[in-house]
Amino acid sequence: MRNTFGQLFTLTTFGESHGKAVGGIVDGMPPGISIDIPFIQKELNRRRPGQSKITTGRQEADQVELLSGIFEGQSTGSPIGFLVHNTNQHSQDYDNMQELFRPSHADYTYYNKYGIRDHRGGGRSSARVTISRCVGGALAKLALKPLGISIHAYTSQVGDIALDKDYSQYDLSTIENNIVRCPDPDKASEMEALISQVKAEGDTIGGIITCVIQGCPIGLGEPEFGKLHAQLGAAMLGINAVKGFEYGDGFDGVTARGSEQNDVFVNDNGIINTATNHSGGIQGGISNGQDIYFRVAFKPVATILREQNTIDIHGNATTITARGRHDPCVLPRAVPIVEAMAAMVILDHLLLNNSLKSLKNVNK
């Protein structure tokens, strides 16, 4: 089972939804980075359950404990171990699912692959494990901040309610001003109403999160098997409930002509820029210095509070009705996870670039 993400900046995670704790080890954190613990906790608070009326009612403080790799407020370069205790599990809510496969969950595939599964909240396949990603992402953000690299994600669509403007037309500093994490307050109100309606019906709904990376230098990514957009795509598609990834103009660009789609180079007061950014800041798999932007599609949460047909582990047809506390829409809590994964990819590639430069200078 692969539990490690990254190449030089790595995150190894452990834990299950209803176990004692979740946590991880971050290795490759550059030394001398100021470790802002309140910032790390704030990032976890953005992901934690029970934060609003449109999220799961599970109440967890998600208080992070950093165990190693920090001295006098700075990273030492050694592995940073961390732990977040689970304190509010209702494992009995899953008793009726012990021998049933929940539709569109990992139950069936996990059981067939390993011959055993933790039916309590999905165990290792639960989105609760993304806590570790948020901690790793927060540490990566702290390392990127002195370099002027910022990452902002936001909810751009819920169901059929979608933002109709380019990201540059919104004030991304306002994302936390509403519980949907949408920079358009009017659309946010519509999204919130739709999520509340879906929740009252015992159903769920999906949508899209847009992410923007600004201040990224030219040259991140490899031209063949380490393309930056491919690494970002893999990171996003590894998030629970993600079904799609596109960067730049993405699928919308297929109807355009090359003459319309090409980003023409211009000399901007001695600096080479592009007149447009249809490429989404990445060309030939390598960052070109423009804003990197992409979109991530999330399916409706698979757990619905309605009766559904299913099969048990013996192959018998039966029905299942989920109980407990579940998100009617995952997007508001997934925004910080998208940011976290993006931050780790960018920092990893920065370190890879620096290692290549160091090797070039070894004999000089």
Side-chain angles (χ1 to χ4, degrees):
M1 185 183 291
R2 289 190 60 183
N3 299 297
T4 300
F5 176 83
Q7 299 176 76
L8 293 185
F9 180 88
T10 66
L11 169 68
T12 302
T13 72
F14 63 84
E16 297 83 30
S17 177
H18 286 235
K20 290 185 177 181
V22 295
I25 298 174
V26 168
D27 203 358
M29 182 70 174
I33 302 297
S34 294
I35 303 300
D36 185 344
I37 295 177
F39 171 76
I40 297 172
Q41 188 59 54
K42 182 180 178 181
E43 292 294 276
L44 280 179
N45 292 345
R46 297 173 69 210
R47 194 226 70 96
R48 75 174 181 84
Q51 62 183 269
S52 78
K53 62 184 179 181
I54 58 171
T55 63
T56 171
R58 180 170 175 172
Q59 292 296 325
E60 295 277 4
D62 285 353
Q63 192 72 38
V64 64
E65 181 182 2
L66 301 180
L67 306 174
S68 61
I70 300 167
F71 179 69
E72 295 184 342
Q74 293 189 319
S75 58
T76 64
S78 62
I80 299 176
F82 61 89
L83 195 66
V84 175
H85 287 279
N86 293 327
T87 62
N88 192 230
Q89 311 97 309
H90 287 181
S91 298
Q92 67 276 8
D93 289 341
Y94 297 88
D95 286 349
N96 66 321
M97 303 178 190
Q98 212 161 351
E99 294 193 340
L100 303 181
F101 296 128
R102 294 172 296 171
S104 287
H105 275 277
D107 297 350
Y108 176 74
T109 51
Y110 198 107
Y111 183 76
N112 275 271
K113 182 177 178 67
Y114 297 107
I116 186 173
R117 71 179 176 93
D118 184 348
H119 66 280
R120 305 167 303 167
R124 184 65 177 158
S125 62
S126 169
R128 180 143 183 83
V129 181
T130 59
I131 284 174
S132 299
R133 304 184 188 204
C134 283
V135 176
L139 290 167
K141 281 185 177 182
L142 290 174
L144 295 175
K145 185 178 179 180
L147 303 176
I149 301 173
S150 64
I151 300 171
H152 293 96
Y154 59 90
T155 300
S156 55
Q157 183 169 343
V158 174
D160 59 357
I161 301 171
L163 300 189
D164 54 6
K165 298 176 184 177
D166 182 81
Y167 73 88
S168 61
Q169 302 300 308
Y170 296 103
D171 182 356
L172 301 187
S173 69
T174 66
I175 293 165
E176 297 298 317
N177 290 356
N178 57 74
I179 58 178
V180 185
R181 294 198 166 91
C182 172
D184 183 321
D186 294 329
K187 291 287 187 180
S189 295
E190 293 180 38
M191 292 174 180
E192 180 183 335
L194 177 58
I195 295 171
S196 296
Q197 175 192 335
V198 167
K199 181 180 180 181
E201 295 170 353
D203 215 334
T204 60
I205 196 163
I208 296 173
I209 288 176
T210 297
C211 186
V212 183
I213 305 172
Q214 296 174 306
C216 188
I218 302 171
L220 299 190
E222 304 297 327
E224 181 61 8
F225 294 118
K227 288 179 169 63
L228 184 58
H229 59 268
Q231 302 297 304
L232 286 168
M236 299 307 144
L237 290 165
I239 300 173
N240 305 56
V242 169
K243 286 294 185 180
F245 170 84
E246 62 174 358
Y247 74 103
D249 280 3
F251 289 102
D252 288 341
V254 302
T255 59
R257 304 291 178 90
S259 55
E260 300 170 310
Q261 193 75 13
N262 286 348
D263 294 319
V264 176
F265 291 106
V266 295
N267 189 320
D268 187 5
N269 294 320
I271 300 173
I272 296 178
N273 276 321
T274 56
T276 54
N277 189 19
H278 300 296
S279 301
I282 303 171
Q283 294 173 326
I286 301 171
S287 61
N288 67 0
Q290 304 301 309
D291 290 350
I292 296 171
Y293 63 94
F294 57 85
R295 289 163 298 281
V296 187
F298 286 79
K299 70 171 185 175
V301 177
T303 300
I304 62 175
L305 302 182
R306 294 181 175 187
E307 185 177 88
Q308 298 181 86
N309 294 323
T310 191
I311 298 291
D312 65 19
I313 61 174
H314 307 292
N316 301 312
T318 183
T319 60
I320 183 173
T321 302
R323 300 195 294 261
R325 305 157 297 177
H326 307 280
D327 286 286
C329 178
V330 75
L331 274 79
R333 294 177 59 211
V335 165
I337 303 170
V338 167
E339 291 181 1
M341 297 306 294
M344 288 192 285
V345 169
I346 296 300
L347 179 55
D348 198 24
H349 275 279
L350 279 168
L351 295 173
L352 286 166
N353 265 22
N354 286 338
S355 69
L356 289 172
K357 291 175 183 176
S358 297
L359 284 173
K360 289 177 183 177
N361 296 323
V362 126
N363 293 320
K364 292 183 179 180

